[in-house]
């Protein structure tokens, strides 16, 4: 059985990926510092898969702990590195937190890869590296634009670090550039657990429908789009999780066509904020309280993925649509709130 280390494996995308890995027959070891999630997620994963993954609470910023971990736990066949901070606004307020957490952790992990001869590495990147696209859909060859937040910058820098390290070592890496993840596992045993007021659209929608928030603010209806609201590519987290399994398989079978590859992971379809609201109301039968407010600084107008490379090279394609994603997010929200 191949052993995969999943950092941040109790987080939103991490936990769904652990489920997918275990279902595909991998042995999973999770490390997580629990800074943005709950230990209860471990129970959810175990209930879904009937297999408790190994777990250790570890903060990747503490180099000595990282070194000690790899001395104790040898022979990992690969690493999927999710552990990182991800709030755009917070990164503007506290850039050093983001550079320390997102960059130092990556460097320490890669040092251990070198020390212990671990050659397969998957990194959580983001479509944020593209900034405002010049053409749509956007493919992996599109230029990387000047980052508009320290968060976005950490994703760009991390990709550069991986490219440089792959160039001079036996490391093979894949960076998956996620578009906008939504949804939850069909069992509603795991899902997204935003701490405090959600910054992302879908958790804000479900919390508003659940009565936790009074109303949703739609950030702008005067953009140059068909209905004036921003357009994104909303990808079901279960599909996203499967993409990681495909990427792991590819690395383990040494099928990566270059030492460092990037893939867009999206549906290929763009939906506006107003379309998301309408779809949510349609699939749930809930009427959503919302108002139009000013644009949010830093938002790009429209972005959605060209997924040809992921479809053809990775052999992966999104199987769920927006409505399925929203329905599963709502099922999860109701479970969390006891509705
Ligand atoms: C951005 C990044 C993404 C990153 C994520 C981290 C881009 C294109 N995307 O996602 O890579 O991982 O931040 O958080 O840079 N909206 C509202 N009201 C709300 C919340 C959001 O109208 O209360 C709108 C936004 O204006 C946007 C859409 O909903 O048009 C999606 O917003 P959000 O969920 O925050 O994700 P992004 O900003 O696209």
């Amino acid at each position: 059985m191949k052993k995969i280390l999943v950092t941040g494996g109790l987080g939103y995308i991490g936990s769904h990926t652990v489920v997918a890995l275990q279902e595909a027959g991998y042995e999973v070891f999770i490390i997580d510092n629990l800074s943005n999630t709950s230990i209860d997620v471990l129970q959810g994963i175990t209930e879904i898969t009937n297999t408790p993954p190994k777990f250790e609470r570890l903060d990747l910023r503490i180099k000595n702990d990282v070194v000690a971990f790899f001395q104790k736990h040898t022979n990992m066949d690969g690493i999927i590195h999710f552990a990182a901070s991800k709030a755009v606004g917070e990164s503007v307020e506290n850039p050093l937190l983001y550079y320390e957490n997102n960059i130092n952790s990556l460097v320490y992990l890669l040092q251990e890869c070198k020390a212990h001869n671990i050659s397969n590495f998957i990194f959580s990147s983001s479509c944020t590296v593209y900034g405002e696209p010049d053409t749509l859909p956007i493919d992996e060859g599109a230029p990387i634009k000047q980052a508009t937040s320290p968060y976005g910058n950490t994703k760009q820098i991390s990709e550069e670090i991986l490219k440089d390290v792959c160039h001079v070592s036996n490391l093979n890496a894949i960076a998956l550039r996620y578009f906008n993840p939504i949804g939850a596992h069909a069992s509603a045993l795991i899902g997204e657990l935003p701490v405090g007021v959600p910054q992302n659209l879908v958790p804000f929608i479900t919390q508003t429908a659940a009565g936790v928030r009074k109303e949703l603010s739609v950030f702008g209806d005067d953009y140059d789009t068909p209905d004036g609201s921003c357009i994104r590519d909303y990808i079901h987290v279960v599909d996203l999780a499967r993409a990681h399994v495909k990427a792991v398989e590819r690395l383990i079978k040494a099928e990566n066509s270059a030492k460092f590859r990037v893939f867009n992971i999206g549906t290929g379809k763009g939906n506006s904020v107003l379309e998301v609201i309408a779809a949510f109301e349609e699939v749930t039968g809930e009427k959503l309280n919302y108002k139009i407010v000013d644009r949010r600084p830093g938002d790009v107008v429209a972005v959605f993925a060209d997924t040809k490379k992921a479809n053809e090279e990775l052999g992966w394609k999104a199987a769920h649509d927006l409505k399925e994603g929203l329905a599963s997010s709502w099922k999860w929200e109701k479970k969390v709130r006891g509705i």
Side-chain angles (χ1 to χ4, degrees), residues 86-89 125-129 131 148 151 155 178-181 198-205 215-220 223 229-232 234 272-273 277 293 295-296 298-303:
K86 60 171 184 179
V88 175
S125 191
S126 167
C127 71
T128 198
V129 301
T148 54
Y151 160 76
K155 294 298 174 192
Y178 313 148
F179 283 68
N180 289 54
Q199 306 300 306
N200 294 114
L201 178 64
V202 172
F204 207 106
I205 288 178
E215 67 185 348
L216 169 77
S217 294
V218 173
F219 298 135
Y223 285 99
S229 64
C230 292
I231 291 173
R232 298 286 184 275
Y234 295 92
S272 73
V273 177
I277 294 171
V293 302
R295 294 178 175 195
R296 180 171 70 175
D299 267 340
V300 307
V301 181
V303 62

Side-chain angles (χ1 to χ4, degrees), residues 174-316:
I174 291 179
L176 299 178
R177 292 179 177 161
Y178 313 148
F179 283 68
N180 289 54
I182 62 163
H185 192 267
S187 64
L189 289 166
I190 54 171
E192 190 171 9
L193 274 175
V195 175
V197 181
Q199 306 300 306
N200 294 114
L201 178 64
V202 172
F204 207 106
I205 288 178
T206 55
Q207 288 196 11
T208 305
V212 182
R213 310 278 154 210
K214 199 169 127 279
E215 67 185 348
L216 169 77
S217 294
V218 173
F219 298 135
D221 69 348
D222 57 353
Y223 285 99
D224 184 16
T225 61
D227 67 20
S229 64
C230 292
I231 291 173
R232 298 286 184 275
D233 183 335
Y234 295 92
I235 172 80
H236 199 302
V237 70
V238 169
D239 283 331
L240 197 49
R242 267 193 313 111
H244 294 80
V245 178
K246 287 283 186 189
V248 165
E249 275 167 15
R250 189 177 172 84
L251 288 178
I252 286 179
K253 289 187 192 154
E255 286 172 351
N256 224 13
S257 57
K259 288 181 64 68
F260 177 62
R261 300 291 280 157
V262 297
F263 293 99
N264 282 343
I265 305 296
T267 64
K269 188 171 176 351
N271 285 104
S272 73
V273 177
L274 294 173
E275 283 173 348
V276 174
I277 294 171
F280 178 81
E281 290 182 331
E282 192 191 321
V283 287
T284 64
E286 300 288 325
K287 188 90 196 82
L288 197 73
N289 203 14
Y290 71 90
K291 64 170 182 212
I292 311 290
V293 302
D294 286 347
R295 294 178 175 195
R296 180 171 70 175
D299 267 340
V300 307
V301 181
V303 62
F304 50 94
D306 181 329
T307 61
K308 192 164 176 271
K309 209 168 135 190
N311 300 159
E312 290 177 3
E313 275 188 51
L314 210 52
W316 170 91

Side-chain angles (χ1 to χ4, degrees), residues 57-94:
R57 184 173 184 169
L58 188 113
D59 192 324
L60 289 169
R61 286 172 294 191
I62 305 169
K63 185 173 165 69
N64 288 344
D65 289 357
V66 180
V67 171
F69 177 87
F70 281 93
Q71 276 165 354
K72 253 191 320 191
H73 304 287
T74 48
N75 65 24
M76 296 291 176
D77 294 291
I79 299 178
I80 306 182
H81 179 41
F82 291 104
S85 300
K86 60 171 184 179
V88 175
E90 183 188 45
S91 80
V92 175
E93 300 294 319
N94 195 349

